[in-house]
Every structure is written in C-alpha cells, then in structure tokens.
Amino acid sequence: MTTTAATKDGLPSMIAYLTRVLKTPTIGAFWEELAEQARDENWSHEEYLAALLQRQVADRESKGTVMRIRTAHFPQVKTLGDFNLAHLPSLRRDVLAHLATGTFVAKAENVILLGPPGIGKTHLAIGLGVKAAHAGYSVLFDTASNWITRLAEAHQAGRLEAELKKIRRYKLIIIDEVGYIPFDQDAANLFFQLIASRYEQGSVMVTSNLPFGRWGETFSDDVVAAAMIDRLVHHAEVLTLTGDSYRTRQRRELLAKEKRAGRD
C-alpha cells in the first residue's frame, strides 16, 4: 500500500499500521490532534512533521529516563533541587552545577564525595545520578558492602570477569558509604578489581566518611588503598565537604522549638 494510493478514509488505519511497524506509538496517538492544530494555525508540512517527531522523541526520552532511574536501584529518588545548599557552605555551587550536566560521565571521569556522616553525601550522589540518567547515561547504585557481596558471589561462582564486564556496561556506578564497614584482604582485592576495571573506561562516584589517608584502615592494606585511590583520583573531582549532620541539626532545631514553645 502507498500513500498516494490510499483514500482519505483509509488514512487512519494506514497510519496506525505504519506507526506500529516503525514503533512510533506517540505519532500514532497524536497525529490527528496535531493535524487539526496544524490546519487551524496554517502550519507548513515541514512544521507539522517536526511537531510530530518532537512529540515522539520527547515521549521516548521521558520513558527512557524513567527506565534508567528504575534500573539504577537508588534506595530512594532524591534530586539536587531538594538539597538544602544553605546547610553545606563548603560545597562550591559552580562545581555542583558543572557535575549536574553529566559531562564527567561522557569523559569517564570520577566524583569523590568526602565528609563526616549525615551531611548529605548520599543525597548528592543520588541527585547527581538522577541527573546523569536524565542526560541519557546508564547508572547503577549500591553501598560499598553490597558491591563487595556482589563481587564475592561472582568470584565464588567463577564468573568474576563476566560480572565486571556486565558492570562496565553502566556508564556510571555509585559506591556509597566507603569506610563505614572495614573489609578483609579478599574483599579489598575485589574492590580494587572493580575500580581498576573502570579506570578510564567508565565513571565511578564514591561517598566516604573517611579522608583518603585513612582508607588503609577500611581496606586492611595501605598499598591496595593507595593503588585504588591513585586510579580514582587521576581523572576526578574530589569534594571534601564540611558541615553539621542533618540529624544533629534537626535535633538541635527541634530542641530550640520546644524551648520556645515552653516559654510561650
């Protein structure tokens, strides 16, 4: 069947068929609505075509973003817009804005967030991960202990290389809470292999409550820790954050509120 051979009455069924074959359901759903708008506003053929294609692309990108965020396995979805920057004056706004563009992922660069517990490192990591997903990059999030468990299970099953290759398909991996739980020598070696496998190949984002000088305590080996840090920071933005814990601050604010209420 061709367009020229089709009658006007047969156009809807023909377009429905063609959009199914081309896998463009949004065009199939909106071509009539946009055609009426085009006639009312005297669009050219080119303007009508562009409007249809834009609608299809926007819908596909939106669904792709939702899927990337879902498969990232964030513990919860948090955005940078929800983050109260006023409580973290040590964070440079220009650096955060640059990281939010996701260009570091395109360059296979890393991001390291260092600072005491409770100041919002995980929130920032998730927020930047969500931004990367919106920019079209695949993301995978987990805690450091869970990453080790995943690698240890693969190693025991004799498929560590296959697992590392699978992880390399993600443009950005986020390793949360490095330093909260110490690792033995075997775990440290697995962690090193994860970092080494992504060196200049894919981006890594790490949050840690420990400065680099104390990573040897976590990985049971100063040499392994130094080699890991060397690969992480070679192409990286390292943000050392200072500030009050959210929980401590919230408790302090609650006590102040109760004190004011008592005076009233």
Side-chain angles (χ1 to χ4, degrees):
M1 181 185 296
T2 65
T3 303
T4 56
T7 64
K8 186 174 181 180
D9 291 341
L11 276 174
S13 59
M14 183 188 73
I15 292 174
Y17 166 74
L18 293 174
T19 54
R20 279 199 308 273
V21 172
L22 293 172
K23 297 181 180 179
T24 53
T26 305
I27 290 177
F30 290 99
W31 72 269
E32 284 186 287
E33 176 186 323
L34 286 176
E36 290 182 11
Q37 184 177 354
R39 281 190 289 270
D40 291 341
E41 299 178 14
N42 295 316
W43 292 357
S44 67
H45 297 307
E46 292 83 359
E47 288 171 331
Y48 172 59
L49 176 61
L52 266 182
L53 294 176
Q54 285 174 344
R55 182 70 68 93
Q56 177 66 58
V57 169
D59 188 53
R60 186 168 292 174
E61 288 181 346
S62 176
K63 290 178 179 176
T65 296
V66 170
M67 181 60 67
R68 285 189 293 274
I69 291 174
R70 184 179 300 139
T71 57
H73 299 301
F74 296 120
Q76 53 186 306
V77 177
K78 297 184 176 183
T79 68
L80 295 179
D82 296 331
F83 191 86
N84 190 343
L85 291 171
H87 291 310
L88 202 59
S90 60
L91 177 60
R92 286 180 51 188
R93 283 24 173 199
D94 59 330
V95 173
L96 182 62
H98 172 68
L99 293 175
T101 65
T103 54
F104 74 95
V105 182
K107 298 177 182 178
E109 296 174 346
N110 303 326
V111 178
I112 318 295
L113 302 170
L114 304 176
I119 62 172
K121 299 185 300 296
T122 299
H123 187 151
L124 286 173
I126 292 174
L128 289 170
V130 168
K131 281 287 190 180
H134 276 279
Y137 300 110
S138 52
V139 183
L140 190 58
F141 177 103
D142 218 332
T143 62
S145 59
N146 284 344
W147 278 110
I148 291 297
T149 298
R150 177 176 181 156
L151 296 174
E153 290 175 351
H155 179 62
Q156 291 166 7
R159 53 178 182 83
L160 179 60
E161 286 304 317
E163 186 66 18
L164 291 172
K165 184 177 180 180
K166 179 180 176 182
I167 294 170
R168 278 199 298 273
R169 294 176 188 153
Y170 290 88
K171 296 298 183 181
L172 169 65
I173 66 168
I174 301 175
I175 305 172
D176 195 31
E177 299 181 347
V178 169
Y180 286 83
I181 299 175
F183 300 124
D184 60 23
Q185 188 72 49
D186 290 339
N189 287 331
L190 287 172
F191 200 89
F192 173 78
Q193 289 187 64
L194 174 62
I195 299 303
S197 73
R198 296 190 63 84
Y199 180 60
E200 297 185 331
Q201 301 296 316
S203 293
V204 180
M205 187 179 299
V206 174
T207 76
S208 178
N209 63 314
L210 297 179
F212 287 134
R214 294 184 58 191
W215 277 31
E217 301 172 17
T218 292
F219 294 104
S220 306
D221 190 317
D222 288 335
V223 175
V224 171
M228 194 182 313
I229 292 167
D230 182 61
R231 284 162 176 77
L232 278 173
V233 303
H234 185 207
H235 304 290
E237 188 71 57
V238 180
L239 304 180
T240 302
L241 308 174
T242 58
D244 289 338
S245 161
Y246 275 111
R247 290 175 287 278
T248 300
R249 186 167 57 248
Q250 288 173 348
R251 178 62 178 165
R252 188 167 58 242
E253 291 172 352
L254 179 60
L255 289 173
K257 184 177 180 180
E258 290 174 349
K259 187 176 181 180
R260 287 195 300 271
R263 286 199 300 267
D264 293 341

